Structure formats: C-alpha cells, structure tokens
Amino acid sequence: MNVLSAVNLQKVYGGRDEANTTKALNGLNLKIESGEFIGVMGPSGSGKTTLLNILSGIDKPTSGTVEISGKNLIEMDNDQLAVFRRQKLGFVFQDFNLIDSLTIKENIILPLILDKRSPEQMEARANAVMSLFEIDGIADKYPYNVSGGQQQRTAVSRAIINHPDIVFADEPTGNLDSKSSTSVMKCLERMNTENNSTILMVTHDSFAASYCKKIIFIKDGTINMEIVRKGTRKEFFDRILDCLAVLGGERNDI
Amino acid sequence: MTFRDIAVKNLKSHIRKYLAYFLCSSFSVMVIFMFSTLIFNKQLTDFCKMINVSFITYFSLVAVIIFAIFFINYAHTTFIRSRYKEFALYMTLGMTKKDINRIILVENSLILIFSMLIGFISGVLFSRLFQMILMKLINLKKVDFAFDFRSFLITFLTFTLIYVTVIILSRLSTRKLEISELLKHSRKIKSEKSSIIIGITGIAIIIVSSITLLFIANNRDLNNMLTFMSYFIIAFTGVYLTISNFGPLAVKIIKRRKGLYYKNLLSINEIDSKFSQNKKILLVLCVLSSIIIFSVASPFALYQQSHNIALNTSPSHIEYASVAGVNEINRNDLDTILKNSDTMFTGEKSIEFLKLDYKGGGDKYDLLGIKPVVSASTYNSFLDKQLVVPEGKAVNIITAWEPGYHGLPSGSRIEFVSGNKSFTYEIQTSSKGTFIADGNVFPSSSGIILNDKDYERIKAASASDVIGSFKVFMFEDWKKTGNVIENLKKVFTGSNSKLSNPVAANMFKLSSTLDTYGNLKKVYSVMLFIFSFMGLLFIITSGSVLYFKQYTELAETKAKFGKLYKIGIQKKEIKTIISRELLMTFFSPLVFGAIVGYSAMYLMTFMVGGSFILAPFMEFASLAIIAYFLFQVVFYLITRKKYVREITG
Ligand SMILES: Nc1ncnc2c1ncn2[C@@H]1O[C@H](COP(=O)(O)OP(=O)(O)O)[C@@H](O)[C@H]1O
Ligand SMILES: [Mg+2]
C-alpha cells in the first residue's frame, strides 16, 4: 500500500533577486510503501532536511505535491497540518526536540495530549512503548537529567505513540556517541520489523543507514540513485560506502 | 586578548541586556532620590509635623526603598542568569571562577556608577517639579530648592548597599555552580525545593493575618503604624510562600483527576514553570499592586471624606477655653459677632473645668505643666456617657494624636497643686478618646476626669483664675462660620497680647470644624499627590517589570512552542496556553494585592476615623481595584497580542 507520494517537488529559498536564491529541491519524485524503512543520504547542503520538512508538512514546497495516506498536504492550512501531524505522523529530530519542563513520560504522550485522547489510552500506550525501549525506569525524570541516548529513545517513543502512518527521522544519531547510536537504531529497526512502522530517515552516518531496507541518495535537490538492502547489514554497509564514493560526497561529513 | 578586552567585548555584544538592567538601576536611583529629598525639605516636613503626619514622607521613602531592593535584585538575577551559558563557555575555554566573578564585579560597578550618575541628574530635575507641585498644594509661596547633601548620601548609601548585597547573593549562587551546572541551568526549569505544606501555610498566613487585622482594626490601642507595617510584612511573607509553592500545589490537586490533568498538561506546566521561575518577580508585583491600590484609593477616599472626618474630629463648630483672662470676650461683643454670622447661630454651651498645675510626667504637649480637669457628671452630661470615677481615682483621656501614654499610663499617679495644697490621684484608666474639647484648645496631651466630690474639693481650694470654661458654639452650617472664627480670633489675639504671658496664652487655641476641615484638605491633598505619584511610579514599574519578564522569556518560550509546532500543535492552542499563563501572571498579583490592599484600607479607616467612613472607604478601594483591573485587562490584551505574534510568527 502506498503511504506517501511526492511529485515534482521544488523548493527555492531566498530573496527577490535571482542571485540570492537557493534551489534546495529540484523536481524530486518519491513514493513510499507501507512498512518501508528508507534512508536518505547525500552530502551536506544537498536538501535532505528540506525534503523531510516538506514531506512532513513542517514546510511548504515552492511547487509540487505531497500526499500522505491519500491526503494532499499542500492543500491544508497550518492548523489542519498541525492536526494531521499529531494524528498521522511521528518525528525524531537530531536535537531530540524534547520539552525540558515535562517529564520523560509526559514528553512521550505529548501527541496524544495534543489530540485530546483519553487518559487510559495515554497511560496504556506510554507504558507499553516505554518498556519496549527500556526507558520505564526514567519515566518521571526530566530530559536534562538523562543521557542523550535515553533522550533520543524518548523521542522515538513519542514518535510512535500515536501509531503514525509514517515516522520521519532527521539525523536521529547526529548528536549521539556510537553506543547510543546503536541502541537508537535498534529501536527504529524494531519499530519497523515488529510494529511494521513506515520510516523515512535522513542521515549522513553510513553505519546508521545500514539499518535501513532501502537508501536513496540525493544530490543537488534530486534523487541521484537508490539501493535496496540484500544480504547482511555488513554487506549493505559496504555498498553504502561505495555509493557515497561514487556520489563524490564526503564520506563522513558532520 | 586581555581580560579587559573580553569585558569590553561582552558589553558590546549584550548591549540590550545591559541597557535594560541599567535603566532599571537608574530609575531606582531617581525614585529613591526624589523621595529622600522630601525628608529634608524643611518646609514640607514642618508642614507635616504641624498637622501630625510626619510619617508620610518616611513611609513613602521606606516603601520606595523596599521596592528598589526587589527591583534591582530581580534585574540583576535575570541579567546574570541570561548569561550562564556564556560563562560556561568561558570556563570551558579556561577562565577561572575568579575571572568570572571579576567580570561580574567590573560590569556591575560600571553600571552602578553610571546609573547613579543618570539617576541623580534625572532625580534632581524631577524633584524640582515634584516639590514645586507639593509646595503649591500646601500654599507656600516661596519654595527653596536647596538639595540637601544628605539626600544624595542616603541615596548613595542605600543604593550601594543594595548593590553589594545583590552581588554577594549572586556570587553565592554562582559559587556552587560547575560548568555543567551552568549549562544545565539555562534548561533547568523546575525548582525541586517547593513544598505543598509550605504553600498551604502561605495561604493560611494570608487569611489569618487579614482576618486578625479586621478584628483589631477597631481596637484603638492596636491600630497604629506598627500594626500596619507588621501586617504588610506578615501578609507578604504569606503571599511569597503561596506563590513559590503555588505550582506544585495546583499540580498536585489537579493530578488527582488524570483526565483533567492530561487535558490541560501544557497549560498547567507552563504556569507551573513560569511561577517557579518568577516567584520573586510575582512577589514584587503583588507588593506593587497592593501599594498601588492602597495609595491611590486611600487619599482619594480621605479627600472626599474630609468633611465627615472634620466633623468627627471637631464636632463642636467653634470651641475655645476661657480661663484666667485668656480668650476673654465680653458678652456684648460676642453677641455682635454671633449676630453678624453668615449662618444661623443655633446654640452655645459653657463647660466648667479647672486648669490645674501638676507635677511630673509630660512631653512636648505638656510644656506648661497643666491639665484641664472636669468632674465626672460634667463629662457625662456633655458627652452623654455613663462614666463612673471612684473617689481618689482619675481617668486620663488622651487627646494627642501620637501613640503612647504621654507619661500617664494606667496605674500611675498624678499630683495636682492648687493654692498651697496638693492632691494626688491614681490613674484608673488612660486611653485615647474624646474629651470635652479637642487637643488644640487646651495645651496638654490629655484631659482628666475626677469624681464629683474630689473635683469640688480641689475647686474649693483653688483661686478663681484656676476655674475656667470651655465655650462651645454651634451653627446651622459650619462651613459658613469663617467670619465668626476670624472675628473671634482677632479679639482674642488683641486681648491675649495684653496678658502677662502672651506666649502661653496663645497656646489656648480657638478650634473649629472649619479650620480642621481646611487643614485636613491640605493634608489630604498632599497625601493625594505623594501617594498618587507613588502609585503612578509603581504602575509604570509593574508594567515595565512585566514587559521585561516577557521579553527575557521570549526566546525560551519561542523555542518551546517551536518544538511543539513540529509535533503538531495548532496556533490557537498555543494562544490558549500563552493566554492562560499570562492571565495568571498578570492577575494573580492583582488578587493578592487586592486582599492586602483592602485589609490595609480597612485598618486605615479606623486609624483616621472610625466606622462612619468605612463604607465610602471601601467603595473607593473597590473603585481603585476595578480601575486597576481594567487597566490591567487592557495591558494584558495588548501584551498577549504582541507576544502571541512574536511566538508564532
Ligand atoms: N531557511 C533557509 N533559507 C535559505 N536557505 C536555506 C534554508 N534552509 C536550507 N537552505 C539551503 O538549502 C540547501 C539545502 O539545505 P538542507 O536541506 O538543510 O541540506 P542538508 O540537510 O542536506 O544538509 C542548502 O544550500 C541550505 O543552505
Ligand atoms: Mg540537515
């Protein structure tokens, strides 16, 4: 089943005069099927974050359309988009995007709170997801008192608490050490295999990308190539490195 | 790069923060200076002393200083806190804590010096205007603007002291901080120390102290300045405890109902964190709003009620004491004067008293060492009372305005000397109250009532120049008694000057409702001006404090709602959350302020008069509260609109 389809996306940033504009996306097309776990890679400045923001309705494209679960995002206004996001989408960000004044548990149930669900549902789902990602011990702590890995797993929990149609992750391991990165990527992998969640993840970390089932490489605002995972993760990891070499991007730019 | 270079670079890059802090400081200096000049303005203090309200100038100065302490402390802490991240960065780059403290010290000293300079300059300018208006109000033609160096000194010392304290406090709080803590500090929002029990205690303190105040207001011995000030301090301690623990208390209560709690989680959380972050500032706002309410409402009420208060303090339209040739007028002249009155003369009374020399006890009211003495039956029939005084005892009724027993507490003895005999009585009771005539008529702090037999015994032993009488005249309209008063005074000044001791004779004043009324009006207009000015200052302050608070929080709040926006919050939901938080911040100080302001007004009513002016006083207090409330509503709506636009834009 088709979850997301984007057609001919263009995004131009910048000023009135030609010289000052940046073409971040340049006629990009993308289709995502239910249950896919797609990685988006590309050199820094190639438009990855821009793509993710547009697909998730945080930003609007200059032209082109985005459809998620049959709904056209372009036609919605900001408030409709907000409701759509909290009901149908999940997010994981590089800087975790947790609210410092809320406890870990409260942060996790935020999408449900925004959507005014029943407290029973919130409690039940929160407990389930927290034990899934092994953060139930820190439920009542505040984000600034737990480790980066725990914060990101909190964010991952929050991303799936509303059973979203698709989860967007922007550099989820960007601020983490390798141990925490592994634990977070395992979480995402489990989300995908056990819950059958659809995930679109932007990353420049080849190790993180090797957890995906498919990688698309973008350059200059369009999809440059696409590889699908076959065999072990190690093999996939090597192929990703090869592709990056071909693409001419930096191997490990941060 | 030297240390100085860094300090200078700092100053440049944070110019807005410095400016806000600097303006707050300068403003405080200006205000303290303006009010301290009042204390040393001889014309004003003489006037206040004359009409027994010397406390006004001190009271307002103290109020202003307290306000400055909070205000500067607030400005300083926000200033320092906004820079924790920067300090942490310096420390990671290898700066020691000592260096950081030096930066803080250098910056603050510079700000201190410059705000002092600006504060003094603007203070001198505004003081001129301020005093000019005051002098106009009390009808002084010549106005001296000699700025006493002591007002500079007071301002300088107060301000330096506040600064040093504030710096020491902030040094104590940064001493404990490590780099990681400094970084965390900007994120840490909850204060873990809040306690629900303390919060409840706080509420209890407010309620109990306010109710106690209502009860003791009627007690003449207790309703004095001390009670008044103590009430302020106790009530605001309660307010502070309540505010600082309000968040957890509210959360605890609401948490019992999970559905309600989750539904309003974001609003509750926003209010909770803003309250624990801003408890000091909220306290300042509470104090400010109570002072605004009190200081605007009470002088208006007093001014409007001066008619009634005058009648209450001087119920006899014209009265004077006539004894030993003092204030003597022959019947024909008196009748002529009364006949020429602009209003109908309706009756007169003559109440006999003895002007007795006594030994011991007394203060500035008792320079002549004499007391007016009347018999119990005279007193009872004139005032329609049933006082019983046993033989050998005396009742002392204090007519002086100032608190205290003026040397004659209950249980002490008073010895009268008349002719060559001496008479000693024990003071049965000594308290404030109404004597036959008011305090100006007879130069003494009190009047004495004796048993009829004792009275007759002294009278029999006394020479005729000891026996005098209070003369009381009533008219149809006391407001038109001006010419009678003037004519009588003219006659008395003429005749008294021929006596052997004209200075003493002139201390037996003619008192009238009209004069009291005139004096009250003058006093109240001065109060009205000083207090409204203070009110205005405090409204400006409270507004700028709120504005300051909103803008220091802007970046943080914006970031928070930015995060929420990404996971799907609607604009109107943001607006609701912000509105609720602003509503609490803008109006909870008003509620607490209103409680304290109301209670203070109530006490004030009994201090200046009694229950007869209670209704109009409370009416004015309510009006002031409503007006303030409306003003705040407008201010709230404007702020909300701007703030929401800043956050969501
Ligand atoms: N808000 C913006 N305004 C102007 N230009 C932007 C903005 N955001 C991104 N860009 C530009 O668009 C291009 C793509 O950026 P981005 O999507 O962030 O790349 P990536 O995430 O792949 O590093 C870059 O050249 C960047 O400078
Ligand atoms: Mg990016």
Side-chain angles (χ1 to χ4, degrees):
Chain A
M1 197 186 69
N2 193 327
V3 174
L4 179 148
S5 73
V7 181
N8 199 17
L9 287 182
Q10 300 239 13
K11 178 70 183 178
V12 182
Y13 284 117
R16 274 127 256 167
D17 56 314
E18 281 289 308
N20 273 339
T21 57
T22 315
K23 246 190 183 156
L25 295 179
N26 194 4
L28 188 143
N29 295 296
L30 182 65
K31 271 196 174 17
I32 300 176
E33 296 292 320
S34 176
E36 278 197 294
F37 185 179
I38 299 180
V40 178
M41 298 193 78
S44 130
S46 57
K48 303 184 295 291
T49 300
T50 306
L51 173 66
L52 199 99
N53 284 344
I54 286 174
L55 294 181
S56 59
I58 290 174
D59 205 351
K60 296 241 181 206
T62 312
S63 68
T65 57
V66 180
E67 251 183 38
I68 294 179
S69 307
K71 293 256 163 51
N72 189 346
L73 265 50
I74 313 303
E75 282 165 2
M76 295 189 203
D77 65 24
N78 279 336
D79 283 350
Q80 288 169 321
L81 275 172
V83 175
F84 187 77
R85 278 204 295 276
R86 68 197 186 200
Q87 288 176 346
K88 305 283 185 195
L89 310 181
F91 291 94
V92 182
F93 299 93
Q94 180 171 3
D95 57 0
F96 318 136
N97 206 41
L98 300 174
I99 307 291
D100 283 325
S101 56
L102 297 178
T103 63
I104 296 296
K105 184 174 171 185
E106 287 165 346
N107 263 294
I108 292 174
I109 56 178
L110 258 184
L112 303 183
I113 284 176
L114 290 175
D115 210 35
K116 302 172 188 70
R117 303 289 183 83
S118 74
E120 294 76 31
Q121 192 181 36
M122 292 184 201
E123 291 280 333
R125 287 201 192 177
N127 291 338
V129 78
M130 281 192 301
S131 64
L132 179 68
F133 296 135
E134 291 153 14
I135 46 173
D136 27 15
I138 53 166
D140 292 325
K141 292 198 170 178
Y142 289 90
Y144 46 83
N145 281 332
V146 305
S147 75
Q150 288 170 321
Q151 291 188 52
Q152 197 59 300
R153 276 183 282 154
T154 305
V156 173
S157 310
R158 181 181 64 190
I160 59 164
I161 191 117
N162 54 348
H163 299 332
D165 292 347
I166 180 167
V167 172
F168 294 100
D170 189 2
E171 309 265 13
T173 59
N175 275 345
L176 300 177
D177 57 56
S178 61
K179 189 164 159 267
S180 303
S181 294
T182 313
S183 80
V184 167
M185 285 319 299
K186 285 205 166 121
C187 288
L188 288 173
E189 192 179 37
R190 262 165 78 187
M191 259 164 68
N192 178 246
T193 50
E194 293 175 23
N195 290 13
N196 205 29
S197 304
T198 314
I199 305 173
L200 180 76
M201 177 181 81
V202 162
T203 185
H204 60 245
D205 175 1
S206 322
F207 169 75
S210 66
Y211 282 86
C212 301
K213 286 183 186 160
K214 182 167 127 187
I215 305 281
I216 55 179
F217 295 89
I218 62 175
K219 196 179 177 181
D220 303 330
T222 49
I223 295 178
N224 191 284
M225 65 176 118
E226 221 178 279
I227 55 172
V228 177
R229 173 165 163 187
K230 290 182 207 101
T232 64
R233 218 186 71 223
K234 178 76 184 72
E235 287 164 9
F236 193 44
F237 178 68
D238 291 334
R239 272 182 66 208
I240 295 170
L241 292 184
D242 293 341
C243 289
L244 285 176
V246 172
L247 210 65
E250 317 85 307
R251 274 200 160 191
N252 236 336
D253 65 314
I254 293 196
Chain B
M1 197 188 256
T2 65
F3 177 73
R4 187 175 303 140
D5 291 339
I6 294 181
V8 170
K9 260 210 150 67
N10 253 323
L11 216 123
K12 278 185 186 155
S13 58
H14 295 280
I15 196 77
R16 270 186 71 171
K17 282 178 203 163
Y18 285 89
L19 206 64
Y21 182 31
F22 171 72
L23 286 179
C24 286
S25 299
S26 311
F27 185 68
S28 309
V29 175
M30 183 186 92
V31 172
I32 295 179
F33 179 75
M34 281 171 73
F35 280 84
S36 67
T37 54
L38 293 188
I39 291 188
F40 300 112
N41 183 317
K42 214 173 152 341
Q43 291 170 309
L44 183 70
T45 44
D46 281 352
F47 170 76
C48 290
K49 223 177 254 159
M50 191 177 81
I51 50 175
N52 282 325
V53 287
S54 24
F55 75 93
I56 292 184
T57 48
Y58 291 98
F59 174 78
S60 45
L61 181 63
V62 170
V64 164
I65 289 178
I66 291 174
F67 136 79
I69 293 174
F70 282 114
F71 195 42
I72 293 173
N73 186 27
Y74 169 66
H76 180 84
T77 7
T78 7
F79 176 66
I80 295 290
R81 189 158 300 160
S82 69
R83 307 184 49 210
Y84 276 166
K85 240 186 205 154
E86 183 192 337
F87 290 154
L89 180 67
Y90 291 153
M91 279 165 82
T92 28
L93 294 178
M95 221 181 231
T96 62
K97 268 188 207 161
K98 228 164 118 195
D99 295 330
I100 303 270
N101 280 334
R102 256 177 74 198
I103 296 186
I104 296 180
L105 193 70
V106 168
E107 288 175 358
N108 279 285
S109 308
L110 284 177
I111 290 182
L112 173 76
I113 292 166
F114 283 106
S115 45
M116 205 89 93
L117 205 72
I118 298 293
F120 277 135
I121 293 173
S122 49
V124 167
L125 291 178
F126 281 108
S127 280
R128 269 187 92 93
L129 187 70
F130 191 52
Q131 294 187 15
M132 217 149 70
I133 298 175
L134 268 174
M135 296 305 147
K136 267 253 144 52
L137 285 175
I138 54 177
N139 289 329
L140 282 174
K141 304 209 167 55
K142 198 176 113 310
V143 185
D144 335 317
F145 284 118
F147 286 108
D148 199 295
F149 83 98
R150 281 173 298 180
S151 24
F152 285 96
L153 197 67
I154 280 196
T155 315
F156 177 79
L157 289 180
T158 320
F159 201 63
T160 314
L161 204 70
I162 295 176
Y163 249 95
V164 170
T165 321
V166 163
I167 289 178
I168 290 175
L169 282 179
S170 87
R171 205 172 259 209
L172 284 179
S173 68
T174 45
R175 198 186 52 183
K176 289 175 279 178
L177 294 174
E178 293 304 318
I179 299 179
S180 59
E181 283 282 313
L182 279 171
L183 279 170
K184 227 195 228 175
H185 214 93
S186 49
R187 292 181 68 187
K188 202 152 150 186
I189 285 161
K190 292 256 179 208
S191 78
E192 283 91 9
K193 271 179 280 173
S194 43
S195 141
I196 290 157
I197 298 165
I198 297 178
I200 294 173
T201 315
I203 296 177
I205 290 177
I206 301 173
I207 296 173
V208 170
S209 62
S210 301
I211 291 178
T212 314
L213 193 75
L214 299 190
F215 278 109
I216 63 175
N218 224 340
N219 184 323
R220 272 190 168 270
D221 290 331
L222 289 175
N223 71 5
N224 50 39
M225 232 26 221
L226 188 70
T227 318
F228 193 72
M229 293 319 277
S230 325
Y231 169 69
F232 262 104
I233 293 168
I234 294 171
F236 281 120
T237 311
V239 169
Y240 184 67
L241 295 179
T242 312
I243 293 171
S244 50
N245 297 285
F246 172 83
L249 190 63
V251 171
K252 170 106 179 178
I253 292 170
I254 299 173
K255 247 188 181 156
R256 293 222 186 96
R257 293 184 51 203
K258 271 259 141 64
L260 191 69
Y261 178 65
Y262 280 145
K263 201 174 141 213
N264 298 298
L265 177 70
L266 287 171
S267 300
I268 294 170
N269 186 260
E270 182 73 7
I271 293 168
D272 181 19
S273 49
K274 290 287 153 65
F275 261 63
S276 53
Q277 264 177 309
N278 296 309
K279 41 194 172 197
K280 273 190 202 136
I281 199 59
L282 285 166
L283 177 68
V284 175
L285 291 172
C286 291
V287 175
L288 287 180
S289 52
S290 76
I291 296 180
I292 290 168
I293 290 166
F294 177 76
S295 64
V296 171
S298 57
F300 267 109
L302 284 171
Y303 191 78
Q304 192 248 8
Q305 284 299 304
S306 32
H307 177 101
N308 284 338
I309 297 174
L311 256 182
N312 186 257
T313 33
S314 309
S316 310
H317 296 165
I318 293 180
E319 61 182 0
Y320 57 86
S322 186
V323 63
V326 176
N327 297 344
E328 238 19 290
I329 183 170
N330 72 49
R331 193 66 225 184
N332 284 343
D333 292 349
L334 181 63
D335 285 340
T336 319
I337 290 176
L338 291 174
K339 216 184 297 152
N340 288 332
S341 161
D342 295 334
T343 171
M344 228 213 327
F345 163 60
T346 55
E348 70 172 288
K349 272 185 190 164
S350 179
I351 301 104
E352 185 190 271
F353 69 89
L354 301 177
K355 176 192 73 126
L356 290 177
D357 292 320
Y358 75 104
K359 283 185 180 160
D363 52 24
K364 63 178 180 192
Y365 291 99
D366 300 293
L367 289 176
L368 300 181
I370 51 174
K371 293 269 178 206
V373 177
V374 297
S375 71
S377 57
T378 307
Y379 175 81
N380 285 337
S381 76
F382 182 71
L383 286 169
D384 201 13
K385 300 208 177 197
Q386 271 88 40
L387 184 72
V388 178
V389 187
E391 271 183 75
K393 304 268 178 171
V395 168
N396 186 42
I397 296 199
I398 299 165
T399 47
W401 187 86
E402 272 156 49
Y405 294 107
H406 302 272
L408 286 177
S410 310
S412 65
R413 293 177 168 275
I414 182 163
E415 182 186 351
F416 292 116
V417 182
S418 192
N420 40 22
K421 280 194 189 145
S422 132
F423 303 84
T424 305
Y425 303 95
E426 190 193 330
I427 305 286
Q428 181 181 259
T429 52
S430 182
S431 61
K432 267 198 172 169
T434 317
F435 193 60
I436 310 283
D438 83 25
N440 292 326
V441 169
F442 194 101
S444 162
S445 59
S446 66
I448 302 282
I449 304 162
L450 292 179
N451 180 284
D452 289 6
K453 285 183 188 147
D454 287 333
Y455 180 84
E456 291 305 328
R457 249 172 246 141
I458 308 189
K459 188 180 171 188
S462 301
S464 67
D465 69 346
V466 168
I467 305 164
S469 52
F470 291 118
K471 308 286 185 195
V472 173
F473 300 88
M474 301 303 279
F475 298 83
E476 198 171 56
D477 181 0
W478 59 264
K479 284 202 177 158
K480 291 189 184 144
T481 53
N483 71 334
V484 179
I485 295 167
E486 209 175 302
N487 289 333
L488 281 174
K489 277 185 180 166
K490 218 182 288 163
V491 172
F492 293 155
T493 326
S495 63
N496 288 350
S497 64
K498 292 184 197 111
L499 295 172
S500 60
N501 188 352
V503 177
N506 280 330
M507 291 169 80
F508 291 82
K509 295 208 168 65
L510 179 142
S511 160
S512 65
T513 317
L514 188 66
D515 284 339
T516 310
Y517 176 67
N519 271 335
L520 284 177
K521 272 208 126 144
K522 257 189 214 172
V523 182
Y524 295 154
S525 57
V526 168
M527 273 175 87
L528 191 66
F529 178 70
I530 295 186
F531 281 18
S532 316
F533 184 78
M534 219 158 72
L536 182 73
L537 274 185
F538 286 4
I539 285 181
I540 296 173
T541 313
S542 128
S544 48
V545 162
L546 278 171
Y547 184 84
F548 196 27
K549 169 190 164 291
Q550 287 321 117
Y551 278 82
T552 43
E553 281 168 1
L554 183 66
E556 188 190 298
T557 316
K558 200 170 173 168
K560 177 176 173 178
F561 284 107
K563 289 176 182 176
L564 287 170
Y565 177 74
K566 285 185 186 165
I567 47 176
I569 194 169
Q570 292 177 303
K571 258 191 191 167
K572 59 177 186 227
E573 289 163 343
I574 295 181
K575 194 172 170 182
T576 311
I577 294 169
I578 291 179
S579 300
R580 286 181 181 172
E581 188 263 315
L582 284 184
L583 210 63
M584 291 299 288
T585 313
F586 274 63
F587 292 96
S588 63
L590 232 152
V591 171
F592 288 121
I595 295 174
V596 178
Y598 245 131
S599 310
M601 280 290 280
Y602 189 84
L603 183 68
M604 178 81 174
T605 314
F606 286 94
M607 275 169 75
V608 297
S611 47
F612 70 99
I613 46 167
L614 189 60
F617 256 65
M618 290 298 129
E619 225 166 78
F620 267 96
S622 312
L623 272 180
I625 290 171
I626 292 169
Y628 188 22
F629 193 85
L630 291 178
F631 168 81
Q632 196 80 340
V633 167
V634 174
F635 189 42
Y636 162 77
L637 290 175
I638 296 172
T639 312
R640 184 180 74 170
K641 194 171 168 196
K642 275 190 81 174
Y643 197 62
V644 169
R645 200 188 300 138
E646 292 268 6
I647 296 286
T648 56

